[in-house]
Amino acid sequence: MTDTSMKIADKKSCENCPIQHSAVCSRCEPDELRRLEEIKYYRSYEAGQPVIWAGDHMEFVASVVSGIAALSQTLEDGRTQMVGLLLPSDFIGRPGRDSAPFDVTAVTDLTICCFRKKPFEALLVSTPHIGQRLLEMTLDELDSARDWMTILGRKTAREKIASLLAIIARRNAALNKEMPGNGMSFELPLTREAMSDYLGLTLETVSRQISALRKAGVIELDGKRRVVVPSYEALLSETGDDVDGGMIA
Amino acid sequence: MTDTSMKIADKKSCENCPIQHSAVCSRCEPDELRRLEEIKYYRSYEAGQPVIWAGDHMEFVASVVSGIAALSQTLEDGRTQMVGLLLPSDFIGRPGRDSAPFDVTAVTDLTICCFRKKPFEALLVSTPHIGQRLLEMTLDELDSARDWMTILGRKTAREKIASLLAIIARRNAALNKEMPGNGMSFELPLTREAMSDYLGLTLETVSRQISALRKAGVIELDGKRRVVVPSYEALLSETGDDVDGGMIA
DNA sequence: GAGCCCACTTGATCCTGATCAATGTTTCGC
DNA sequence: GCGAAACATTGATCAGGATCAAGTGGGCTC
């Protein structure tokens, strides 16, 4: 926990916080926010650095402010599976539990806003808005974890890659407050290895399938990481998803 | 939604409810419980019957009272993945969302306790205990969804089967308020096909791996469905899980 | 008891993605 | 500019699990 790469940032106000409208604190009244400010502090990590090891005692919960973190799990022989990809405003940790069930690692340079766990748990009971927002966020996480399970359990390597690209494209469009459309482009925030951990593949297979999608004209590459999507429809048709089912309403 | 196999049970009191100590309502004060009773009704389904189709409008949320339900998702060509296994006291549906994102099916004969969605959502805001308990349950679900992702993404067929058997053994022991131990036995609540949907395998592979574990002496079979575990340790060692990591505290 | 259905088992073969290995490309420090 | 290291691509081969195909056994109706 006392990591040399970890830096404690200066106390910042919530006023200019980039995630104030979507994080756990987004529903808070001014006085609730004030109480949160009293128990918060920032931490920053460089890309690749560990944030928490599975089994560690957790003295805080946190929100991702900027950058990307990964939750992952490792089997006895070293095989690892990413089980969560945490973007800005996503929540780390779990009130009411002492030790972390999964490893948390900084995928890119990362800044998080930590809340001391004990007082945060107290706030959860005494003020309704935090708990309500956390419930909403957790239900969303659960839904996307379930979609992810279908990707892991039933999709081919090609479909897995197409699905991941579609997810990143969608999130990226949402970040820019646009609809995903033709000609859109984005930077891949993950290495080939991180993608393989996300999708339950090897990095070689990831590389091959990205090449295959490129050769098929589904995507174009600008360098290793920048992806251009000529036709969003074409990308979606590679994911194997049932376009209707579950999307009617 | 108007299913011929569906039966509406008589109004029952919460007093003798078998799941009263673990369901969403378990934290409720007597007056909160009274308000819940006003908006609840029971439904029963036979094994194999659909409860909800993905995309359906949901006019209720519910708790599983008895029996087992499965959440699942289907790809365009019919491949299906189970993404949730709902046991007694587990929660179905999601406040604040209109249409179901996944199919829900009765795996065994099933009885659920439904709450009309609108008034339930109102209670969620007005009384704190329901939301707090639901948050806790949802966080638990998310943790086990993440373990399940590791099973789907990184484990071999044999490890998948061993993991599923270990999970069922553990739940079964918990139900009887015992610790899982040597010589324990239980009835498999799932068909080979349901197991294959759970684990992202084919039913043939499930059958073969169960036979393999039997031949290796890890389990014994009494008929097709009854499983005896001579050594719980031996079963765990087949799961591929890291016994230490994440379990230190 | 005959016949049927369903859940399951077992066998033979095929194919996708893993594994092992070499090579290419960028970025960085010096 | 050079060498090293990290990241990525591509090739050759292998194997685990899918697929296709029979066959078994228990429980059911008639």
Side-chain angles (χ1 to χ4, degrees):
Chain A
M1 295 309 302
T2 53
D3 194 291
T4 53
S5 74
M6 185 191 78
K7 292 175 290 185
I8 311 268
D10 293 338
K11 192 104 181 171
K12 289 186 236 169
S13 155
C14 292
E15 243 172 85
N16 303 314
C17 178
I19 57 166
Q20 61 182 310
H21 297 301
S22 44
V24 248
C25 48
S26 65
R27 294 281 168 69
C28 286
E29 307 289 342
D31 67 306
E32 293 171 334
L33 220 49
R34 221 170 301 124
R35 280 199 271 170
L36 269 179
E37 265 187 334
E38 280 166 23
I39 62 169
K40 89 178 193 195
Y41 54 97
Y42 293 88
R43 287 190 173 181
S44 291
Y45 303 83
E46 286 167 30
Q49 294 293 331
V51 178
I52 300 158
W53 292 110
D56 272 3
H57 174 77
M58 296 277 301
E59 88 273 21
F60 63 86
V61 295
S63 290
V64 175
V65 176
S66 66
I68 299 182
L71 271 178
S72 56
Q73 198 166 20
T74 302
L75 299 182
E76 54 174 359
D77 61 358
R79 284 171 285 173
T80 74
Q81 173 67 50
M82 197 188 294
V83 297
L85 191 60
L86 306 177
L87 304 183
S89 88
D90 283 344
F91 190 77
I92 298 175
R94 119 146 236 190
R97 178 157 301 177
D98 236 31
S99 67
F102 307 106
D103 297 327
V104 183
T105 319
V107 171
T108 63
D109 287 351
L110 177 73
T111 299
I112 64 180
C113 172
C114 306
F115 304 105
R116 286 185 290 124
K117 193 155 74 72
K118 275 283 160 52
F120 184 86
E121 286 167 356
L123 275 179
L124 212 51
V125 174
S126 65
T127 79
H129 294 120
I130 299 174
Q132 283 167 19
R133 178 68 188 134
L134 186 54
L135 175 57
E136 219 175 63
M137 293 174 68
T138 307
L139 286 164
D140 284 342
E141 277 281 304
L142 188 54
D143 279 355
S144 62
R146 284 171 167 159
D147 286 338
W148 193 347
M149 284 173 52
T150 302
I151 292 176
L152 289 171
R154 291 300 185 195
K155 290 192 178 180
T156 64
R158 185 185 177 109
E159 289 169 339
K160 285 178 173 183
I161 296 290
S163 300
L164 176 56
L165 293 177
I167 288 171
I168 295 174
R170 213 177 303 132
R171 284 177 167 177
N172 213 268
L175 204 68
N176 302 334
K177 305 205 155 101
E178 294 166 356
M179 295 299 291
N182 299 344
M184 65 195 300
S185 82
F186 53 87
E187 202 77 19
L188 282 175
L190 303 176
T191 64
R192 301 291 186 260
E193 189 180 20
M195 288 191 249
S196 74
D197 283 344
Y198 186 105
L199 297 170
L201 297 170
T202 58
L203 68 89
E204 294 96 327
T205 299
V206 169
S207 187
R208 272 186 252 274
Q209 295 300 332
I210 288 180
S211 297
L213 287 175
R214 184 175 50 70
K215 279 170 194 153
V218 179
I219 56 172
E220 289 154 23
L221 289 180
D222 181 5
K224 308 286 189 189
R225 295 290 191 88
R226 182 140 211 100
V227 177
V228 181
V229 181
S231 160
Y232 184 59
E233 285 295 318
L235 179 59
L236 287 186
S237 76
E238 293 284 349
T239 63
D241 286 318
D242 190 339
V243 187
D244 310 323
M247 300 294 174
I248 293 172
Chain B
M1 294 309 303
T2 53
D3 194 289
T4 53
S5 74
M6 186 191 77
K7 291 175 288 182
I8 312 267
D10 293 339
K11 191 102 182 172
K12 288 187 239 170
S13 156
C14 293
E15 242 172 85
N16 302 315
C17 180
I19 58 165
Q20 59 182 313
H21 297 301
S22 43
V24 250
C25 48
S26 65
R27 294 282 168 68
C28 287
E29 307 289 341
D31 65 308
E32 293 170 333
L33 219 49
R34 224 171 299 123
R35 281 198 271 171
L36 269 178
E37 265 189 331
E38 280 166 22
I39 63 168
K40 90 177 192 196
Y41 54 96
Y42 292 88
R43 286 190 173 181
S44 292
Y45 303 83
E46 286 168 29
Q49 294 292 331
V51 177
I52 299 160
W53 293 109
D56 271 4
H57 174 77
M58 295 277 302
E59 89 272 22
F60 63 85
V61 295
S63 290
V64 175
V65 177
S66 66
I68 299 182
L71 270 178
S72 55
Q73 197 165 19
T74 302
L75 300 182
E76 55 175 0
D77 61 358
R79 282 170 287 172
T80 75
Q81 173 66 51
M82 196 187 293
V83 297
L85 191 60
L86 305 176
L87 304 184
S89 87
D90 283 343
F91 189 77
I92 299 176
R94 135 152 219 179
R97 178 157 299 178
D98 236 31
S99 68
F102 308 106
D103 297 327
V104 182
T105 319
V107 171
T108 63
D109 287 352
L110 178 73
T111 298
I112 63 180
C113 173
C114 307
F115 305 104
R116 287 186 290 124
K117 194 156 74 72
K118 276 280 160 53
F120 184 87
E121 286 167 358
L123 274 180
L124 212 50
V125 175
S126 65
T127 77
H129 294 120
I130 298 173
Q132 284 168 18
R133 177 68 188 134
L134 186 53
L135 174 57
E136 218 175 64
M137 292 173 70
T138 308
L139 286 165
D140 283 343
E141 278 281 303
L142 189 54
D143 279 356
S144 62
R146 284 171 165 158
D147 286 337
W148 194 346
M149 285 173 50
T150 302
I151 292 176
L152 289 171
R154 291 301 186 196
K155 290 191 178 180
T156 65
R158 185 185 176 110
E159 288 169 338
K160 285 179 173 182
I161 296 290
S163 300
L164 176 56
L165 293 176
I167 288 170
I168 295 174
R170 213 176 303 132
R171 283 177 167 177
N172 214 269
L175 202 70
N176 301 335
K177 306 202 156 103
E178 294 167 356
M179 294 301 289
N182 300 345
M184 65 195 301
S185 81
F186 53 88
E187 202 76 22
L188 283 174
L190 303 176
T191 65
R192 301 292 187 259
E193 189 180 19
M195 289 190 249
S196 74
D197 283 345
Y198 185 106
L199 298 170
L201 297 170
T202 58
L203 69 89
E204 293 96 327
T205 298
V206 170
S207 186
R208 271 186 253 273
Q209 296 300 332
I210 288 180
S211 296
L213 287 175
R214 184 176 50 72
K215 280 169 194 154
V218 179
I219 56 171
E220 289 156 22
L221 289 179
D222 181 5
K224 309 286 187 187
R225 295 290 192 90
R226 184 142 210 99
V227 176
V228 181
V229 181
S231 159
Y232 183 61
E233 285 295 318
L235 179 58
L236 288 187
S237 75
E238 292 285 348
T239 63
D241 286 318
D242 191 341
V243 187
D244 311 322
M247 300 294 174
I248 294 171

